Amino acid sequence: MQYWLLKSEPETFSIDDLAAAPNKTTYWDGVRNYQVRNFMRDAMKPGDLGFFYHSSCAIPGITGIVKITCDAYSDHTQFDHKHAHYDPDSDPQSPRWLMMDVKLQRKLKRIITLDELRQHQKQLPELLILKRGNRLSVTPLTEHEWKYILTLE
DNA sequence: GCCAACGTTGGC
DNA sequence: GCCAACGTTGGC
């Protein structure tokens, strides 16, 4: 069992959008970063849990808990030349980019803000979201980080 | 293989 | 809108 933090811009797709989706499930498309692709390909497994994080917004922070519900599979948007994430260099026989499905487990009772996480940096010294320059849209968390953050709720 | 230019992310 | 950080691209 692994733990993850998944960033989403709420103006594009928010925790409430996920709550309103059929079966509270969506596919996580648009990853165009090799490190994140490799996480999805090599490390993320069905049953893994993730924090749903709102980024690039007024109050960045953790808003919910999701479950990974399948292994990574080809992200179809890479072959759609009308799509913003179209990748003309990806070979359909060997797709470069992957996505997976996530299902909402529950919304948090309240948002655990980035600001609040920073106040607990001593207890979370390796939390990647708090590191300078961290821009990965998917990052792993340790079990300790996962459980500690949940006690803040 | 180096590295300058450029694009993107994301907090503020 | 600004800008620091970082990944990618492409000329050499």
Side-chain angles (χ1 to χ4, degrees):
Chain A
M1 158 79 79
Q2 305 253 38
Y3 300 95
W4 306 95
L5 184 143
L6 311 180
K7 290 181 191 170
S8 186
E9 299 185 15
E11 280 188 26
T12 304
F13 193 84
S14 73
I15 189 78
D16 289 323
D17 292 325
L18 181 57
N23 202 28
K24 297 186 178 182
T25 299
T26 191
Y27 54 80
W28 202 267
D29 68 323
V31 168
R32 296 293 183 270
N33 172 284
Y34 287 104
Q35 233 181 309
V36 174
R37 191 278 311 270
N38 294 346
F39 284 148
M40 295 167 79
R41 185 189 60 194
D42 303 330
M44 296 182 98
K45 298 293 170 207
D48 285 359
L49 295 175
F51 284 133
F52 192 104
Y53 177 91
H54 281 178
S55 68
S56 292
C57 57
I59 307 173
I62 296 168
T63 55
I65 296 173
V66 298
K67 181 182 279 188
I68 313 303
T69 60
C70 68
D71 286 310
Y73 58 100
S74 174
D75 177 345
H76 59 84
T77 65
Q78 70 196 299
F79 303 119
D80 178 357
H81 58 80
K82 290 191 292 287
H83 199 281
H85 295 300
Y86 174 58
D87 182 351
D89 297 326
S90 184
D91 175 4
Q93 299 307 314
S94 177
R96 176 178 293 177
W97 304 113
L98 303 173
M99 62 187 189
M100 74 278 165
D101 295 347
V102 304
K103 177 169 185 168
L104 180 66
Q105 298 298 105
R106 64 179 180 87
K107 286 175 66 171
L108 296 191
K109 298 178 205 120
R110 61 181 191 84
I111 184 169
I112 299 174
T113 65
L114 177 62
D115 185 58
E116 188 176 354
L117 290 170
R118 281 222 182 84
Q119 294 168 26
H120 293 266
Q121 191 146 26
K122 272 205 178 112
Q123 289 79 22
L124 302 167
E126 299 303 318
L127 188 66
L128 289 170
I129 198 89
L130 298 182
K131 298 259 183 180
R132 271 166 72 90
N134 156 62
R135 299 186 312 163
L136 296 180
S137 58
V138 175
T139 50
L141 287 85
T142 65
E143 184 175 10
H144 163 73
E145 289 166 341
W146 178 268
K147 289 183 171 170
Y148 184 86
I149 290 169
L150 279 178
T151 67
L152 303 178
E153 184 184 10

